[in-house]
């Protein structure tokens, strides 16, 4: 099979102005991609930040592909390059499609919710970016312009970043985001230009303004690295700067004869000084990054720590996945599913027990898990052939034109740096697009310099019978690229509309309008399970609302039956669209829970089967057992409810919701005293479990042993100062003791992390007015299970990282005696229900 990579190149003597215009326009669009990508941001558009970056690349690449196809058709002449590196890359893309098809969740694997980096669509975009660089073969001037535009873009990014640091806060008003992406993406971006400077510092001009610019870029890059404190980047920059410094020391001695690299010139003091400075700063942060990082955090007010699965935890996931599907893996963009299904149960003892990690230890490792052995071999083949290409280009190839050397140094240094980054981390779309750019430029330079590489020229004008084939090929390129473009842009506008209607629903609470909007959006994306699942959740919320009505009208009863029937149908539709989501099965089981076993035969078995499938796909999650316990409790099956609670607590001994419900059952059945003795016995076995002290405090409150309850709740807070429920219950205990000031102090602390809780605001106003009465114990609402975990766009972010080998921080944890690290996310007091649990899980 002959795999050809087409590079639309026309001869200089073509002479056709329209054809040349098409080529130049295609190149111009390609230049624009990388000139404005880091700075691209759509203000006031509530949509995935990474998607706004990706959609720009999609639009401009689509334009470049169309213009290239038209230029080929107009000129009737093109050159065909077949580098082995690109053959491996496109075969890897094909394997990704096969893996997605066999994954059981084709839509999420291909598109995801916002064209995430692990999806097949983004992989195709990456391959196109690399391949389109062949437009620049022999176009040295265009390459230099591209790098110059990248430098201008860098200045814009740095100006924005410094403004953010000076003014404080995030000017984009987005959590954990910068103009480039996440804070770690910004650090990678800064490290990229530091790596380039270290690669070309010995060639820096003697002009004062060039040296001043290089120095300024170095200082700002180091400042960004210091603020973000990305551990691996400090090690990498420190190693490369030390190697560059040692090279410069020997450059004009025993390396003097290497004219090709310009070693006949003496090393400048500027190059030595700048390299030594970078090396020293890197060494300081490598040795004492925690202490220096704390100082930087105090100065900037920024404390950012990203957490990801550790190398060991990712390796264990890979082992299980390969045992089940060795050749095609779990499927692109489905690491989160593999993590839910195969993660170590010990993760439940940490604050990341319900955190969904979209990728593993690194992009490369996640791709190995996603695409299986076939994808891994092809990806490894691509990397190996590319490494050989870089080695030959830098160390072996003799350059007929030495002016290419700076371009070679810049592109190879940048691409090698970025490939090392993706081998150890999972960056966002901007970094991945830059990786494609520098990889493609290196391949284009290799094609320009290595005359031994075969180039096949097809001239349709010499054989007009083949003209029809060219027209057909051009038509296919335009049609398929347009269909792909429409699919991606539809997904983009759907997400924008979804966020808009969701915000409108939150403001107006008009369920009918929101439901109709979801129905219209679902029609344009039929393979997505989110829309039927979201519509089902609306029915679930309506059923919960109708359940608490003591005297329902005939209209309420009719609405109840309609919501129940529609909810079951929508949950089944969501399952049909995605049979790998445990939340869809749990939602279906929740609907069955509203049907009495006396009314419908075998409904109890259907419910248990649905939850069994959910537990099979997410076996360590205690939420499903809790939902079943709530259903059994509602239907009066106390024995089964306690069995399900025991299952939930066995999975997570400090699970607040389960402990709360267990205490409520004990209190309702008059077993509070015996339950206290049992809880004390459990505490003797689990002395560091704050949840058990919380449970003990609740039981003591039930028998009005207020002093003991205060002690128990204080013990819970000593073990976990951010335990919002324990602090809330402590405040209520103070109210019962008549200690208004102490109660207000605790309530205001809880309010800092729950500013939108109307009940909490009302209680604080009541106490401030002198009313010290607290709500009855059976009306108190526990937290709904967020428990110090965060799910952001690409990773979990947490300042207080548990001592566990299952997750590892990307950034150095700052430490200082003056300021303790505050956790990034704390609990919120919300009403627990079947609906809340489903939404929280999703």
């Amino acid at each position: 099979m002959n795999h050809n990579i087409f590079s639309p190149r026309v001869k200089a003597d073509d002479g056709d102005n329209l054809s040349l215009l098409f080529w130049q326009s295609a190149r111009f669009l390609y230049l624009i991609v990388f000139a404005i990508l880091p700075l691209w941001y759509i203000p006031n558009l509530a949509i995935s930040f990474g998607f706004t970056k990706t959609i720009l690349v999609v639009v401009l690449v689509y334009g470049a592909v169309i213009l290239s196809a038209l230029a080929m058709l107009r000129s009737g002449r093109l050159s065909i390059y077949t580098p082995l590196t690109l053959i491996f890359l496109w075969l890897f893309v094909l394997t990704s499609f096969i893996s997605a098809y066999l994954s059981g969740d084709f839509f999420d694997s291909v598109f995801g919710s916002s064209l995430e980096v692990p999806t097949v669509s983004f992989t195709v975009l990456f391959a196109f970016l690399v391949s389109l660089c062949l437009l620049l073969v022999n176009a040295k001037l265009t390459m230099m312009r591209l790098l110059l535009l990248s430098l201008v873009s860098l200045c814009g990014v740095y100006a924005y970043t410094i403004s953010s640091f000076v003014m404080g806060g995030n000017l984009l008003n987005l959590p954990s985001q910068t103009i480039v992406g996440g804070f770690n993406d910004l650090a990678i971006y800064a490290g990229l230009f530091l790596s380039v400077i270290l690669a070309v510092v010995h060639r820096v001009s003697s002009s004062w303004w060039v040296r001043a610019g290089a120095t300024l870029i170095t200082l700002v890059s180091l400042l960004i690295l210091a603020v973000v404190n990305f551990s691996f980047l400090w090690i990498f920059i420190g190693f490369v700067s030390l190697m560059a410094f040692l090279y410069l020391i020997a450059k004009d001695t025993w390396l003097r004869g290497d004219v090709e690299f310009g070693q006949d010139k003496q090393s400048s003091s500027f190059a030595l000084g700048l390299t030594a400075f970078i090396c020293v700063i890197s060494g300081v942060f490598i040795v004492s990054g925690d202490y220096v990082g704390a100082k930087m955090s105090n100065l900037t007010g920024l404390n950012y720590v990203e957490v990801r699965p550790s190398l060991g935890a990712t390796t264990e996931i890979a082992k299980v996945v390969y045992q089940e599907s060795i050749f095609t893996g779990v499927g692109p963009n489905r690491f989160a599913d593999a993590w839910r299904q195969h993660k170590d149960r010990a993760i439940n003892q940490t604050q990341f027990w319900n955190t969904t990690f979209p990728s593993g230890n690194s992009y490369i490792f996640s791709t190995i898990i996603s695409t299986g052995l076939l994808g891994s071999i092809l990806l490894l083949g691509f990397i190996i052939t590319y490494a050989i290409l870089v080695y030959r280009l830098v160390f072996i190839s003799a350059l007929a034109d030495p002016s290419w050397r700076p371009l070679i140094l810049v592109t190879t240094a940048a691409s090698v740096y970025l490939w090392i980054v993706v081998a150890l981390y999972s960056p966002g779309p901007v970094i991945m697009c830059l990786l494609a750019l520098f990889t493609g430029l290196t391949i284009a330079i290799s094609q320009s310099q290595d005359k031994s590489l075969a180039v096949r020229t097809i001239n349709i004008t010499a054989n007009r019978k083949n003209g029809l084939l060219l027209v057909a090929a051009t038509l296919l390129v335009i049609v398929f690229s347009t269909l792909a473009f429409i699919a991606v842009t539809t997904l983009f506008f759907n997400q924008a509309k979804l966020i808009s209607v969701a915000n409108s629903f939150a403001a107006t609470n008009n369920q009918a309008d929101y439901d109709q909007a979801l129905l219209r959006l679902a029609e344009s994306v039929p393979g997505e399970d989110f829309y039927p699942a979201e519509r089902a959740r609306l029915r679930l919320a309506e059923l919960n609302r109708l359940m608490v009505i003591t005297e329902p009208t005939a209209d309420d009863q009719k609405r109840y039956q309609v919501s129940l029937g529609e909810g079951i149908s929508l949950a089944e539709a969501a399952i049909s669209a995605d049979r790998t989501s445990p939340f869809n099965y749990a939602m279906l089981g929740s609907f069955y829970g509203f049907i009495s076993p006396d009314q419908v035969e075998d409904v109890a078995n259907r419910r248990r089967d649905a939850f069994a499938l959910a537990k099979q796909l997410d076996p360590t999650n205690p939420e499903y057992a809790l939902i079943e316990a709530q259903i059994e409790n509602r239907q009066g099956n106390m024995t089964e409810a306690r069995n399900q609670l025991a299952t939930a607590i066995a999975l997570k001994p400090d699970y607040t919701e389960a402990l709360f419900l267990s205490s409520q059952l004990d209190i309702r059945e008059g077993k509070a005293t015996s339950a206290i003795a049992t809880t004390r016995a459990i505490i003797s076995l689990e002395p560091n479990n704050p949840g058990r002290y919380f449970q003990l405090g609740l039981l003591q409150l039930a028998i009005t042993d207020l002093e003991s309850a205060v002690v128990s709740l204080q013990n819970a807070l000593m073990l976990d100062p951010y335990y919002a429920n324990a602090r809330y219950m402590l405040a209520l205990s103070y109210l019962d003791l008549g200690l208004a000031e102490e109660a207000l102090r605790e309530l205001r602390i809880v309010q800092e992390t729950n500013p939108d809780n109307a009940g909490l605001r009302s209680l604080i106003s009541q106490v401030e007015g002198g009313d010290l009465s607290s709500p009855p114990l059976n009306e108190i609402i526990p937290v709904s299970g967020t428990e110090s975990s965060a799910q952001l766009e690409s990773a979990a972010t947490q300042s207080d990282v548990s001592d566990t080998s299952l997750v590892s921080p990307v950034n150095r944890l700052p430490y200082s005696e003056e300021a303790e690290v505050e956790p990034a996310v704390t609990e919120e007091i919300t009403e627990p229900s079947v609906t809340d649990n489903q939404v929280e899980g999703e």
Side-chain angles (χ1 to χ4, degrees), residues 248-266:
L248 291 174
I249 291 294
K251 173 176 177 286
D252 56 347
T253 56
W254 53 273
L255 286 174
R256 183 185 297 273
D258 194 345
V259 180
E260 173 67 23
F261 280 79
Q263 273 77 14
D264 55 330
K265 298 180 181 179
Q266 185 176 2

Side-chain angles (χ1 to χ4, degrees), residues 209-271:
W209 62 272
V210 175
R211 295 189 173 189
T215 302
L216 182 60
I217 291 175
T218 299
L219 292 176
V220 178
S221 299
L222 290 173
L223 174 63
I224 292 173
L225 288 178
V227 171
V228 179
N229 209 1
F230 196 146
S231 305
F232 155 71
L233 291 185
W234 280 124
I235 296 174
F236 179 85
I237 296 298
F239 174 79
V240 173
S241 60
L242 178 60
M243 184 171 62
F245 180 75
L246 297 178
Y247 164 74
L248 291 174
I249 291 294
K251 173 176 177 286
D252 56 347
T253 56
W254 53 273
L255 286 174
R256 183 185 297 273
D258 194 345
V259 180
E260 173 67 23
F261 280 79
Q263 273 77 14
D264 55 330
K265 298 180 181 179
Q266 185 176 2
S267 299
S268 68
S269 57
F270 169 78

Side-chain angles (χ1 to χ4, degrees), residues 479-550:
V479 169
F480 281 106
S481 59
T482 300
L483 290 176
F485 176 75
I486 291 173
V488 172
T489 52
T490 299
L491 188 66
F492 178 81
F493 289 116
N494 265 27
Q495 189 180 93
K497 292 176 183 177
L498 173 63
I499 296 175
S500 176
V501 297
N503 291 336
S504 177
F505 173 64
T508 64
N509 199 30
N510 191 323
Q511 180 174 318
D513 289 347
Y514 183 45
D515 183 66
Q516 287 300 311
L518 290 172
L519 177 60
R520 290 191 296 270
L521 292 174
E523 292 173 351
S524 58
V525 190
E528 172 66 273
D529 71 304
F530 171 79
Y531 297 107
E534 183 69 8
R535 295 182 67 206
R537 272 189 285 271
L538 292 178
R539 273 70 178 174
L540 206 55
E542 180 69 5
L543 290 174
N544 282 321
R545 184 188 71 82
L546 295 171
M547 279 288 294
V548 299
I549 299 178
T550 54

Side-chain angles (χ1 to χ4, degrees), residues 812-825:
R812 284 288 287 270
L813 298 176
Y815 170 78
S816 117
E817 296 180 355
E818 291 83 6
E820 295 184 0
V821 177
E822 292 289 335
V825 180

